[in-house]
Amino acid sequence: MQYRPEIDGLRTLAVVPVVLFHAGLAGFQGGFVGVDVFFVISGYLITVILLEDLERGRFSVLGFYERRARRILPALGVVVAAAALAAPFVMRPDQLAQFAQSVAATALFAANAFFWWTTDYFGGAAEEKPLLHMWSLAVEEQFYVVFPLALWLLWRTGRRDRLAAWFAAAALLSFGLAEGMSRAWPLENFYGPATRAWELLAGSLVALRLRGAAPERSALGGALAAAGLAMIVASVALVGPAAPYPSLWTVPAVLGTALTIRYARTDGAAGRLLALRPMVFVGLLSYSIYLWHQPLFAFARLGSLREPGIGTLLALSALCVPLAWISWRYVERPFRDRARIGRRAIFALSVATLGAMTAVGVGVAKGPGVAEALSWTARLDAAGAARMEDQARLAADHLAIVAESDLARDPGCRLLFQTAPEGLEARIEACAARHGPGVLVTGGSHGIDLYRMLERGGDAPFLIGLARGWCRAHRALEGPPPHECPYDAVLRLARARPDALSLVIYTQAAHPMFEAGRGLTGPGDGFHPELADEAAAWAAEVARAVPVLILGPQPMLGADPRKFDPRDDFAAQAARSWLPGIAAAEAAMAAAQKAAAERVGVPWLSKAALMGASAPRDALIDGRLAYRDQDHLSLTGIDRFGRRLVEGLAAQGYGQVAAPR
């Protein structure tokens, strides 16, 4: 296979956007498409190697996996070992146990399945997973379990002249599956090997054309290569986490990579750009850069109460380069040298590495008390141990309060859903016949908190929650939500069953009205009061059928109490980490929301006043944490503030939240 420096340059165009996306740098919201670029490159290179072996009659499954072991495992083992040594110093026992599970999953090349079951790639919690990026390696290795044998069978059975048709058919099937699953099953789609196979097969189709030779020369070749680069860059800048992925949104990055590989010659503009020495240098290090960046970012975030500044994350991005060079020079290159390390040795080292990773991962994750002993909690005094127990409870709260799938709280008429399930109207009608008109609560993740407060703080028998994280009744500054939101369903229910509902309550967090989002520091931080008018207009439409109440924002803590140091007083840490600008921002949002509600004639009340809550004063209740993260309540907070909220609403004339009418 002819060496092509422009492919190393293309690797740079893949890895840099991924790193800067995880760093949170503006303009790289679609940087995760770099993984798709890697997939196409990998499919191309592997297919070229396999075709060459088949043509020369030297195809060997053992030889293929030897090459994969030399390429992948040495640097992987070093990075995982470094992450495992650092983890006990920054992780709580529950985090350490989950990290250990990810180590074992990585060793078994099942990291994509593990994170599919546990982590939304675009969720905030994903940023603190040191081995999150191993999902893409797992997808590749799962593909390589099937692809070499399938190619060998097609070759042996005389179908070698039809390889392009077979590859194209498989790619179309995989792409159709991805497009079909992209909205209904987004996590399965994102992490699944079957829905990613078409990206690798796109590279395989180019390999069938070039067979490892120089890029194709044609009159339009230069323009097509430039168009390919433009497609990749446009995807990085325009796609964003809200897009269903992989799907049609993925086509430009995949097609652009295929065009670049096929047509980018060093005597053309695109090829010359990719073959520049800095591009080739970073491309040679790209695998190790990819391995190192996520652990560095995750540990920085785990060790900080708030999101590290962009300067810190860019410095860590730069640190990836020397670390990657060390890995490349002293780990990757020596292990690829067959003269220095033979086949038997490389397989023995591979088995030892993967076996050790599996044993350590399972031992720490499942061994009684192992994670607790390894984490720094072993050095806590009695008070610190009690505080750590409170923090561990927050992790359980987080899972219990924000359900990942629709659920009914009980067989009766206290119901919580993220989107309206089939048959909800009939169920509402039946509950209304039994208990009288019910109360429907809606909003984003704070709507879930509100539902829980009303559920646990009152005795109303008929209560419905239609609330889902990231959803608000105005356009999102960050782009469209990554999933279906319930507001159209609420409006339909109100119009279809007005006699079955006595009240619709809407609430939302303050920070979605600000450009900075989670990094909110004050009312001058890109405030958009007009968004309150959009939410109020939606509420006014609902109010034509059913009475509506808008509740203002609940106080935000600003720092994640799960990261508090249990060796220090929690109240003091809450006071130190709280940003006064948050209160000013909440006040600005509340004022804008109240004014917008008055303009459309919809009642508005201060949720913070009804709760009797303020931050950081109420970060703790009777010594227990009232927040489970920066802005959501723990069960302790829900219980205390829920009782106050129900009493306050009843005093304001909304007694239906407390008892049946």
Side-chain angles (χ1 to χ4, degrees), residues 394-413:
L394 294 187
D397 280 4
H398 218 88
L399 296 174
I401 294 172
V402 184
E404 286 296 330
S405 59
D406 293 342
L407 59 93
R409 295 290 294 160
D410 57 48
C413 295

Side-chain angles (χ1 to χ4, degrees), residues 572-593:
Q573 291 181 79
R576 288 197 301 269
S577 62
W578 187 71
L579 298 173
I582 290 177
E586 289 167 351
M589 182 270 195
Q593 197 180 52

Side-chain angles (χ1 to χ4, degrees), residues 273-331:
L273 174 64
L274 293 174
L276 290 173
R277 285 190 176 183
M279 296 288 285
V280 173
F281 174 74
V282 174
L284 288 171
L285 306 182
S286 60
Y287 175 57
S288 284
I289 290 173
Y290 184 76
L291 290 180
W292 279 110
H293 85 282
Q294 180 62 17
L296 291 177
F297 291 168
F299 287 132
R301 287 174 167 124
L302 285 164
S304 174
L305 287 174
R306 288 187 293 272
E307 174 73 3
I310 189 63
T312 299
L313 293 171
L314 288 178
L316 292 173
S317 302
L319 179 60
C320 289
V321 177
L323 287 175
W325 183 85
I326 294 170
S327 296
W328 174 76
R329 177 65 180 81
Y330 296 105
V331 181

Side-chain angles (χ1 to χ4, degrees), residues 372-435:
E372 289 78 0
L374 290 175
S375 180
W376 38 266
T377 59
R379 298 187 295 275
L380 297 177
D381 56 18
R387 288 192 285 265
M388 172 54 74
E389 183 180 348
D390 197 20
Q391 283 179 311
R393 182 182 50 78
L394 294 187
D397 280 4
H398 218 88
L399 296 174
I401 294 172
V402 184
E404 286 296 330
S405 59
D406 293 342
L407 59 93
R409 295 290 294 160
D410 57 48
C413 295
R414 288 186 152 201
L415 313 169
L416 174 61
F417 300 101
Q418 294 191 66
T419 55
E422 186 176 349
L424 181 59
E425 286 187 24
R427 192 162 187 178
I428 287 175
E429 194 72 29
C431 288
R434 193 188 323 168
H435 302 292

Side-chain angles (χ1 to χ4, degrees), residues 340-553:
R340 297 176 62 177
I341 303 174
R343 172 178 288 184
R344 186 171 298 178
I346 199 68
F347 278 131
L349 288 170
S350 299
V351 170
T353 299
L354 297 177
M357 289 168 58
T358 304
V360 170
V362 173
V364 173
K366 302 299 182 183
V370 176
E372 289 78 0
L374 290 175
S375 180
W376 38 266
T377 59
R379 298 187 295 275
L380 297 177
D381 56 18
R387 288 192 285 265
M388 172 54 74
E389 183 180 348
D390 197 20
Q391 283 179 311
R393 182 182 50 78
L394 294 187
D397 280 4
H398 218 88
L399 296 174
I401 294 172
V402 184
E404 286 296 330
S405 59
D406 293 342
L407 59 93
R409 295 290 294 160
D410 57 48
C413 295
R414 288 186 152 201
L415 313 169
L416 174 61
F417 300 101
Q418 294 191 66
T419 55
E422 186 176 349
L424 181 59
E425 286 187 24
R427 192 162 187 178
I428 287 175
E429 194 72 29
C431 288
R434 193 188 323 168
H435 302 292
V439 175
L440 190 152
V441 177
T442 191
S445 58
H446 285 206
I448 297 174
D449 274 8
L450 176 60
Y451 174 88
R452 300 292 193 191
M453 282 192 282
L454 296 180
E455 178 197 40
R456 295 169 72 98
D459 56 2
F462 183 16
L463 183 66
I464 310 154
L466 270 179
R468 193 169 192 179
W470 201 275
C471 290
R472 35 264 188 182
H474 60 69
R475 61 180 174 86
L477 291 171
E478 304 91 335
H483 42 230
E484 180 184 354
C485 287
Y487 300 113
D488 289 342
V490 171
L491 184 57
R492 287 196 302 270
L493 285 171
R495 290 170 172 170
R497 297 289 187 270
D499 296 335
L501 298 173
S502 64
L503 180 66
V504 172
I505 307 178
Y506 170 73
T507 192
Q508 71 173 68
H511 57 80
M513 294 182 66
F514 294 78
E515 294 282 2
R518 293 179 181 173
L520 182 63
T521 57
D525 203 4
F527 183 46
H528 287 261
E530 72 276 7
L531 299 185
D533 289 310
E534 295 182 22
W538 170 86
E541 283 297 311
V542 178
R544 295 176 184 272
V546 174
V548 175
L549 171 65
I550 299 176
L551 289 183

Side-chain angles (χ1 to χ4, degrees), residues 33-123:
V33 306
V35 173
D36 306 290
V37 177
F38 274 130
F39 283 157
V40 180
I41 295 172
S42 295
Y44 169 77
L45 294 174
I46 290 296
T47 305
V48 167
I49 292 170
L50 290 171
L51 287 173
E52 183 177 335
D53 286 350
L54 288 167
E55 287 172 344
R56 297 188 178 186
R58 65 185 187 196
F59 174 81
S60 164
V61 173
L62 202 62
F64 174 80
Y65 288 115
E66 178 193 348
R67 281 193 294 265
R68 293 304 297 166
R70 291 180 185 276
R71 176 76 177 94
I72 296 296
L73 293 182
L76 174 65
V78 168
V79 172
V80 171
L85 290 173
F89 295 98
V90 293
M91 286 184 162
R92 302 185 312 269
D94 60 303
Q95 294 173 321
L96 190 57
Q98 191 173 67
F99 168 75
Q101 291 175 327
S102 71
V103 170
T106 297
L108 298 172
F109 297 110
N112 59 331
F114 173 75
F115 290 114
W116 162 4
W117 295 329
T118 62
T119 306
D120 180 352
Y121 183 82
F122 300 109

